[in-house]
Amino acid sequence: MAEKSYEEEHPTKAFGWAARDQSGVLSPFKFSRRSTGEKDVRFKVLYCGICHSDLHMAKNEWGTSMYPLVPGHEIVGEVTEVGSKVEKFKVGDKVGVGCMVGSCRSCDSCNNHLENYCPKMILTYSTKYHDGTTTYGGYSDSMVTDEHFVVRIPDNLPLDAAAPLLCAGITVYSPLRFFNLDKPGMHVGVVGLGGLGHVAVKFAKAMGVKVTVISTSPKKKQEALEHLGADSFLVSRDQDEMQAAMGTMDGVIDTVSAMHPILPLISLLKTQGKLVLVGAPEKPLELPVFPLIMGRKIVGGSCIGGMKETQEMIDFAAKNNITADIEVISMDYVNTAMERLLKTDVRYRFVIDIGNTMKI
């Protein structure tokens, strides 16, 4: 008789890496996942992307962290068990979980497929679940999630490079759709060429939009134009370049999470143009009102997307061969990766190979 694996012997036991305090240093951590409920999907985690918010949360920089904290909300893997009332998934399916694992399912937002704006949205990690337990993220060997918050990963998408789409991808896809910046021939600016920005360029180009990358770094010009396929590039510190581009864009997606002036970005917009912020600077930005009034311009925000739209985004990515540009790392490299992420020394997303390198 074959020897049982650790998972088979301990069906609710899980193994991951957790931060214990505000140092943010991660180390091995044993914990329990709930038993698979009737609407739950249990899956073996194969890959998990490292999002910049994982770094903020590990160090409690937003003041909401609960320790021990297992980060990770760009999670993909293979289904190992489904509950008796699960309808959409079966054992062996390739699936993913993004930034949320629960919501009230009854408010206006939830009824309109906008679970991401539910006041009772439950984050994938460091939040209390319906049963009072703490949620743990994808830097772990397994996940148990209500099927409503699980997405199917199409077969033609490589799992490792698809993982970051569950946060970075939907964060930029949703505003392009909602603010109607997805029409062929439109001109959209993308501010910042990092984890969010590089997939924003890919999605916008696939929608038929003319894309200009706006960056403080002239070094990124060749990458933006030749590798990512942007149509043009602006150095935001070059006043002549910015002046020449004034009033030329239908919209701007601003992915930058550092403090930066937004007046120059508003100036790039056409009349009735839209500046959409998806990066989250820690301090308030200064908002000049006159340029908005004089051009009937809009400054808005957007946060990930609902589950219906997240599945739509993944399917669109599969149809158009859109993936994140990644550097795959082993689990024990995670602390070094966090240090590099702090210095923006990654092109453009770290993805942890959980399936092959998570050791119990």
Side-chain angles (χ1 to χ4, degrees):
M1 190 171 168
E3 190 176 325
K4 287 189 175 181
S5 68
Y6 179 85
E7 279 182 332
E8 290 170 324
E9 289 279 5
H10 307 87
T12 62
K13 297 296 180 189
F15 187 73
W17 280 52
R20 279 17 187 247
D21 54 43
Q22 293 187 6
S23 71
V25 174
L26 298 163
S27 57
F29 174 58
K30 285 187 178 179
F31 61 102
S32 292
R33 293 282 186 200
R34 67 176 182 271
S35 299
T36 309
E38 59 185 18
K39 295 288 285 180
D40 283 339
V41 173
R42 179 181 293 272
F43 65 94
K44 174 182 171 63
V45 177
L46 297 176
Y47 296 97
C48 185
I50 298 181
C51 177
H52 213 282
S53 56
D54 296 345
L55 184 58
H56 289 297
M57 289 294 290
K59 295 186 172 188
N60 195 28
E61 288 176 352
W62 292 335
T64 59
S65 301
M66 292 188 278
Y67 298 105
L69 182 147
V70 178
H73 60 207
E74 299 178 343
I75 315 160
V76 293
E78 183 175 325
V79 176
T80 56
E81 185 183 13
V82 295
S84 58
K85 293 187 179 178
V86 168
E87 298 172 356
K88 296 188 288 186
F89 303 99
K90 63 183 186 307
V91 171
D93 284 349
K94 300 298 190 294
V95 296
V97 167
C99 301
M100 58 183 168
V101 293
S103 68
C104 78
R105 307 285 295 278
S106 60
C107 67
D108 283 349
S109 291
C110 288
N111 288 334
N112 285 296
H113 305 291
L114 296 170
E115 301 92 341
N116 49 314
Y117 298 118
C118 173
K120 296 181 180 177
M121 177 182 67
I122 299 172
L123 298 173
T124 301
Y125 65 87
S126 200
T127 317
K128 290 296 182 187
Y129 196 63
H130 298 299
D131 60 6
T133 59
T134 300
T135 57
Y136 294 120
Y139 295 13
S140 60
D141 58 4
S142 65
M143 288 288 293
V144 181
T145 309
D146 184 296
E147 72 165 334
H148 184 78
F149 296 91
V150 178
V151 297
R152 181 181 304 281
I153 308 294
D155 290 338
N156 68 311
L157 274 183
L159 289 180
D160 53 0
L165 299 179
L166 293 164
C167 172
I170 188 60
T171 294
V172 296
Y173 179 92
S174 184
L176 285 168
R177 291 296 197 203
F178 178 78
F179 290 100
N180 296 310
L181 299 174
D182 57 351
K183 307 296 181 285
M186 279 187 155
H187 185 189
V188 172
V190 173
V191 189
L193 198 61
L196 294 176
H198 91 284
V199 287
V201 174
K202 294 184 181 189
F203 276 116
K205 286 300 294 179
M207 293 168 183
V209 171
K210 178 186 175 186
V211 178
T212 295
V213 170
I214 305 153
S215 173
T216 57
S217 173
K219 296 179 195 168
K220 293 187 176 179
K221 182 172 183 176
Q222 185 178 358
E223 174 81 5
L225 300 180
E226 295 179 13
H227 176 62
L228 295 172
D231 297 282
S232 54
F233 186 91
L234 287 177
V235 179
S236 56
R237 291 179 174 146
D238 187 319
Q239 291 189 350
D240 292 338
E241 283 190 18
M242 294 292 282
Q243 182 84 20
M246 281 179 65
T248 63
M249 299 180 192
D250 298 284
V252 171
I253 305 290
D254 184 352
T255 71
V256 175
S257 54
M259 293 298 293
H260 61 290
I262 60 172
L263 176 58
L265 305 178
I266 294 170
S267 301
L268 295 173
L269 296 172
K270 296 176 182 176
T271 300
Q272 301 186 124
K274 301 157 187 170
L275 169 61
V276 187
L277 308 173
V278 294
E282 290 177 22
K283 294 179 182 174
L285 299 176
E286 190 172 308
L287 180 64
V289 175
F290 267 104
L292 301 182
I293 295 172
M294 300 312 292
R296 195 153 75 174
K297 298 175 182 179
I298 291 171
V299 177
S302 186
C303 177
I304 56 171
M307 294 314 303
K308 182 181 178 183
E309 188 174 49
T310 302
Q311 185 67 62
E312 177 192 297
M313 176 275 304
I314 284 285
D315 293 342
F316 182 88
K319 183 179 176 183
N320 293 278
N321 295 310
I322 295 171
T323 53
D325 290 10
I326 61 170
E327 180 179 333
V328 178
I329 63 168
S330 61
M331 188 69 246
D332 59 9
Y333 186 78
V334 66
N335 289 308
T336 305
M338 291 286 199
E339 289 170 15
R340 285 179 54 193
L341 183 59
L342 196 57
K343 298 181 232 173
T344 63
D345 175 24
V346 57
R347 213 186 91 190
Y348 285 95
R349 206 63 150 190
F350 287 117
V351 173
I352 308 167
D353 182 352
I354 304 278
N356 291 313
T357 68
M358 177 75 78
K359 296 181 179 68
I360 296 174

